[in-house]
Amino acid sequence: MAFTAPGLTEESAAGVVATLQERLSAFNDLHLTLKHIHWNVVGTNFIGVHEMIDPQVELVRGYADTLAERIATLGASPKGTAKAIEEDRSWDDYSLGRDTVQAHLGALDLVYVGVISSHRDAIETTGKLDPVTEDILIGQTAELEKFHWFVRAHLESYTGELSNAGATSEKDAADKAR
């Protein structure tokens, strides 16, 4: 990097950039996964879930843009390609095709658990290096948690139990949620 934001060392900026690049790839993957679900969900409550997903897609795309612009602000080049997603991926590709509302929401619950947990890890990492980036990630996490709540509301019983509780894979979560 030839430059970085004032007040940050190049070493700190490089650490923040590495964290942000992984999150950028996660968001690019998430918005594609959400669109995939939007196109493949069927059954009871189809239209409600189909329409619930689109605002999530748009917000996540915006989050990716914010992170890419932060990377550029710090003097690095954001990577937004499919190859970057593959190289940065530490998670499995979304595994469901055409399936029921409940199956997709059961699987999406686990996707959000992974994304939110990783975002919280990024908050911890960047908080030690750059409070501006930390603040961006905190705001994004709050909205992701709200969308996660929307998903879980479809899986929750009146006693507060999730139909996919204990699932360890998307397919398992989908099967339990059906």
Side-chain angles (χ1 to χ4, degrees):
M1 296 185 310
F3 65 88
T4 192
L8 283 181
T9 66
E10 285 188 33
E11 184 180 336
S12 291
V16 171
V17 165
T19 298
L20 289 178
Q21 181 58 55
E22 188 276 335
R23 301 318 306 144
L24 173 59
S25 291
F27 278 156
N28 284 335
D29 186 71
L30 178 59
H31 93 256
L32 291 169
T33 297
L34 289 166
K35 223 28 191 174
H36 172 83
I37 293 167
H38 171 85
W39 295 323
N40 283 288
V41 68
V42 297
T44 307
N45 298 322
F46 153 79
I47 196 65
V49 171
H50 181 79
E51 291 179 353
M52 176 182 81
I53 298 284
D54 267 340
Q56 294 179 32
V57 170
E58 291 309 311
L59 197 67
V60 170
R61 281 182 178 159
Y63 287 170
D65 190 54
T66 298
L67 297 186
E69 289 173 354
R70 184 69 183 154
I71 291 169
T73 298
L74 295 175
S77 178
K79 298 175 195 137
T81 63
K83 183 177 179 183
I85 294 171
E86 284 294 321
E87 288 175 350
D88 292 336
R89 179 178 275 164
S90 60
W91 56 92
D92 293 330
D93 199 22
Y94 190 76
S95 58
L96 274 66
R98 183 178 179 89
D99 215 324
T100 66
V101 165
Q102 288 306 107
H104 273 294
L105 292 177
L108 183 56
D109 174 49
L110 293 189
V111 170
Y112 270 124
V113 166
V115 170
I116 292 167
S117 296
S118 295
H119 227 57
R120 285 181 169 276
D121 291 343
I123 289 167
E124 185 175 335
T125 299
T126 59
K128 297 171 185 164
L129 304 171
D130 178 26
V132 174
T133 300
E134 177 190 38
D135 187 56
I136 292 167
L137 297 173
I138 289 169
Q140 291 176 341
T141 302
E143 286 297 312
L144 290 169
E145 288 176 350
K146 183 172 76 172
F147 282 142
H148 190 209
W149 167 55
F150 291 172
V151 169
R152 283 189 162 180
H154 289 270
L155 302 170
E156 188 178 5
S157 72
Y158 73 95
T159 61
E161 295 175 51
L162 296 175
S163 60
N164 65 339
T168 58
S169 72
E170 290 167 8
K171 288 202 180 274
D172 186 32
D175 289 341
K176 286 181 175 224
R178 282 189 183 98

